[in-house]
Amino acid sequence: MKVFLTIALSVATGLSFVQHLHGQSKTSTYQNIIDSGSKQEKDKLKHELLLTSKSSKKYEELKTSINYLYQLGEQSRADSISQVVARKFPKSDLARNEFIYEVLNKSETAATMEKNYKTLLKKWPLKSFPQDAILYDYATSALVNKLLDEKKNEQALQYLGDMRLRFWRAQAYAPVARKLLTAGDTTRAQQFIQTSIEDAEYYINLPADQQNNEAKFAAVGYPGYIAQMVDIYEHQGKSVESIELIEKALKIAPDQAARFSQVYYKGLQKTGRKLEALQQLEILYKEGNFNLKENLQQLYIELNGSDKGLSNYLSNMDQAVVEAIRKHIASQSTYKDAPAFSLQNIAGETVSLADLKGKIVVLDFWATWCQPCIRSFPGMQAAQEHFKNDETVQFLFLNTWEKNKDYKTNVAAFIKNNKYPFEVLFDDQKDPNTGENLAAKFGVQGIPAKFIIDQDGKIRYALTGSNGNLEYTKLEMIELIEASKKPHKI
């Protein structure tokens, strides 16, 4: 069983799943050990938690022990203990979470899920767990989508009224709107999108001192809701309304301007505002949307009456892209020692950082389940190809955070089937002193994570995430590598 702690729940409550039941000092000590303790300290804590889980009869102590075991990487043991505790305390939140994960979420039909949903509300009523309202909203959303999948629209929309948290409900409304649009029910889809927009705007417009995590979470989907409504307007031939909506959104959330550019330029072009449309295309192009180059050329010619100067214009645009990349990577620069490592590759050979001294080393932390990682691979392959004759550059793809016990076989098959010419290393060695893998030593918080190490073993750049565009990724990696070849400026 998984601990039902989601990003959204953290945002919603701002509370730790860990209850301070052993006293503030004890839990602080535990957390410090987990965050920065030695392997010996972590092993000792692990032993203590396992003893507690066997001897304690207090539910909260047991739950706290389970949570710390999860943090220590003892997934299997924590799962087993959770299942035992859930059976001993059938009215508890652990038992409820077990039911949600293992019963409700695995319902094969809408009728079965509806029955299980009613059991959830009856056996574990929300009033008994008011701090967990978002879990119940998740369950409601799952049921609604299951009903919609089976074309039981009226029934589904009745349950949608059970949504409790305004800051989150738009996240449930958006997929419902998409399904209604697919089914041809534009009127009701539009109503849900409009509510989502209004909810997001409410939180965006809150005073600065009220801009908490809930408000930030609610605002994240705003550009997406605007894009949904714009699509509806465009299908209805309402280009003017579309432009008005976007321009209102730009005033409300100017920091999101780049995310509106795609729909904005189309609306501007349709309403004859071609110069402004070209300006939006330029923004998109500079961000790596090179598939829009033909649109850029066409608008340029329409505005100028010929292709005179087009070559210089495109050359300047390409240079602007490079300058934008340089500005971006400058904000990602650092200068510190790279942690030493010695890991095995797919062939079982050992590769160490020490053996690569004198080279620029590109590390790409990834996993087979990570879609942004996979989307970046064509660009990474293109970058590697660019440097194929440069013996001073070495690309290493560090497979980490895999969830399947057969990860080595799966990774090897994935690389082979996709014909990626990558040197893949397995980040599965734990430091004997800290118990950390290499990703933890590098401070990786999310993947894909890329690090550029210079000839002296210093980390020069650290990036998380990926643009996903092949040409942009290639250009970015070229700039990172070339910059790392140059002496570090203090």
Side-chain angles (χ1 to χ4, degrees):
M1 183 188 75
K2 301 169 182 156
V3 171
F4 206 106
L5 179 62
T6 65
I7 293 174
L9 179 56
S10 298
V11 172
T13 64
L15 298 175
S16 170
F17 185 70
V18 178
Q19 304 297 311
H20 297 267
L21 301 166
H22 299 292
Q24 179 67 36
S25 60
K26 194 165 187 178
T27 55
S28 296
T29 299
Y30 284 2
Q31 198 61 52
N32 287 337
I33 291 173
I34 290 171
D35 292 340
S36 56
S38 67
K39 184 176 185 300
Q40 184 178 8
E41 289 173 322
K42 290 178 181 179
D43 287 343
K44 184 177 179 181
L45 174 57
K46 192 184 304 179
H47 180 69
E48 180 181 335
L49 293 172
L50 288 171
L51 286 178
T52 300
S53 66
K54 291 179 180 179
S55 61
S56 178
K57 295 182 179 180
K58 297 179 180 179
Y59 173 70
E60 297 297 348
E61 281 188 358
L62 291 166
K63 188 169 75 168
T64 300
S65 295
I66 291 167
N67 182 67
Y68 281 129
L69 285 169
Y70 273 113
Q71 293 190 56
L72 286 166
E74 291 294 322
Q75 178 86 26
S76 180
R77 286 181 173 179
D79 280 347
S80 297
I81 296 168
S82 293
Q83 291 167 3
V84 173
V85 173
R87 288 194 293 270
K88 287 184 177 179
F89 298 89
K91 295 290 185 178
S92 68
D93 52 355
L94 277 179
R96 176 202 62 197
N97 297 346
E98 174 80 14
F99 180 81
I100 292 173
Y101 273 118
E102 302 300 330
V103 180
L104 188 143
N105 286 352
K106 294 182 179 180
S107 302
E108 294 185 359
T109 66
T112 302
M113 182 172 280
E114 184 177 29
K115 179 182 177 182
N116 290 329
Y117 178 77
K118 291 178 179 178
T119 298
L120 169 68
L121 298 183
K122 182 178 180 180
K123 191 170 182 179
W124 298 277
L126 176 58
K127 65 181 181 181
S128 299
F129 309 95
Q131 74 280 5
D132 292 345
I134 196 167
L135 304 186
Y136 293 81
D137 276 1
Y138 278 148
T140 302
S141 179
L143 174 59
V144 168
N145 281 285
K146 195 77 168 179
L147 288 165
L148 287 172
D149 288 341
E150 295 187 10
K151 314 299 182 186
K152 299 176 180 178
N153 292 11
E154 300 304 322
Q155 202 173 341
L157 298 184
Q158 287 179 2
Y159 279 108
L160 201 59
D162 288 352
M163 300 298 293
R164 301 152 186 90
L165 299 174
R166 184 179 185 184
F167 86 91
W168 186 81
R169 68 180 180 183
Q171 296 290 329
Y173 284 179
V176 168
R178 284 194 293 271
K179 290 180 179 180
L180 290 174
L181 285 172
T182 301
D185 193 345
T186 303
T187 301
R188 283 194 290 193
Q190 196 165 347
Q191 291 171 355
F192 284 115
I193 297 169
Q194 183 60 40
T195 299
S196 298
I197 290 172
E198 291 170 0
D199 285 349
E201 289 179 349
Y202 167 79
Y203 285 98
I204 291 171
N205 290 324
L206 285 174
D209 61 350
Q210 296 180 38
Q211 289 289 333
N212 57 16
N213 287 336
E214 289 185 4
K216 293 174 183 176
F217 183 83
V220 167
Y222 185 57
Y225 311 145
I226 295 295
Q228 276 188 303
M229 188 65 84
V230 167
D231 282 343
I232 291 176
Y233 282 152
E234 292 300 325
H235 281 101
Q236 294 173 338
K238 298 179 178 179
S239 294
V240 174
E241 288 86 345
S242 173
I243 291 292
E244 289 177 349
L245 177 63
I246 295 169
E247 292 180 341
K248 175 189 174 186
L250 286 169
K251 290 179 181 178
I252 292 174
D255 58 316
Q256 298 290 327
R259 295 182 65 188
F260 293 119
S261 293
Q262 188 79 254
V263 291
Y264 194 23
Y265 106 80
K266 292 180 181 178
L268 289 168
Q269 189 171 19
K270 285 185 177 181
T271 53
R273 295 163 62 180
K274 294 183 179 181
L275 178 59
E276 292 169 276
L278 182 64
Q279 291 170 342
Q280 293 303 313
L281 272 175
E282 289 174 349
I283 292 173
L284 290 163
Y285 191 79
K286 289 175 185 177
E287 291 187 336
N289 292 281
F290 302 129
N291 57 311
L292 295 173
K293 191 169 187 174
E294 188 175 328
N295 305 69
L296 201 66
Q297 293 173 317
Q298 182 180 343
L299 262 180
Y300 177 91
I301 293 171
E302 288 180 14
L303 284 166
N304 289 277
S306 72
D307 63 357
K308 185 178 180 180
L310 177 61
S311 179
N312 286 336
Y313 170 74
L314 293 175
S315 178
N316 290 335
M317 284 300 302
D318 288 337
Q319 185 57 39
V321 172
V322 173
E323 292 301 326
I325 289 174
R326 288 174 179 170
K327 183 178 180 180
H328 169 65
I329 67 173
S331 66
Q332 310 299 313
S333 65
T334 184
Y335 192 70
K336 57 185 178 182
D337 291 331
F341 63 82
S342 183
L343 301 171
Q344 287 192 337
N345 62 15
I346 289 178
E349 301 163 336
T350 300
V351 178
S352 69
L353 181 60
D355 292 339
L356 299 173
K357 190 171 183 179
K359 292 189 176 186
I360 300 294
V361 180
V362 180
L363 301 185
D364 187 349
F365 287 88
W366 69 286
T368 53
W369 50 263
C370 170
Q371 288 306 307
C373 301
I374 305 308
R375 284 196 294 270
S376 75
F377 275 5
M380 292 299 291
Q381 182 176 352
Q384 181 173 285
E385 177 67 17
H386 178 85
F387 289 99
K388 68 178 181 179
N389 296 321
D390 189 338
E391 295 182 357
T392 67
V393 178
Q394 175 67 54
F395 284 75
L396 297 176
F397 293 80
L398 283 79
N399 179 256
T400 192
W401 295 359
E402 289 292 349
K403 302 174 181 179
N404 192 301
K405 65 180 181 179
D406 297 322
Y407 63 93
K408 287 190 175 182
T409 301
N410 295 340
V411 168
F414 173 84
I415 294 297
K416 181 179 179 180
N417 292 340
N418 289 281
K419 299 180 180 179
Y420 286 126
F422 297 159
E423 174 75 288
V424 175
L425 308 184
F426 292 108
D427 180 25
D428 55 5
Q429 301 300 309
K430 298 292 183 68
D431 186 290
N433 295 316
T434 65
E436 294 178 325
N437 63 0
L438 191 61
K441 287 187 174 184
F442 270 86
V444 174
Q445 299 295 315
I447 52 176
K450 298 176 175 60
F451 297 85
I452 315 300
I453 302 170
D454 69 14
Q455 296 97 326
D456 298 319
K458 299 287 187 180
I459 299 175
R460 297 287 291 273
Y461 295 96
L463 302 90
T464 300
S466 173
N467 175 279
N469 180 281
L470 186 155
E471 287 299 326
Y472 186 91
T473 300
K474 175 184 173 181
L475 286 174
E476 183 179 57
M477 295 309 301
I478 291 172
E479 289 297 324
L480 287 164
I481 292 168
E482 295 299 340
S484 298
K485 288 181 177 181
K486 299 175 182 177
H488 173 68
K489 294 181 180 180
I490 300 176

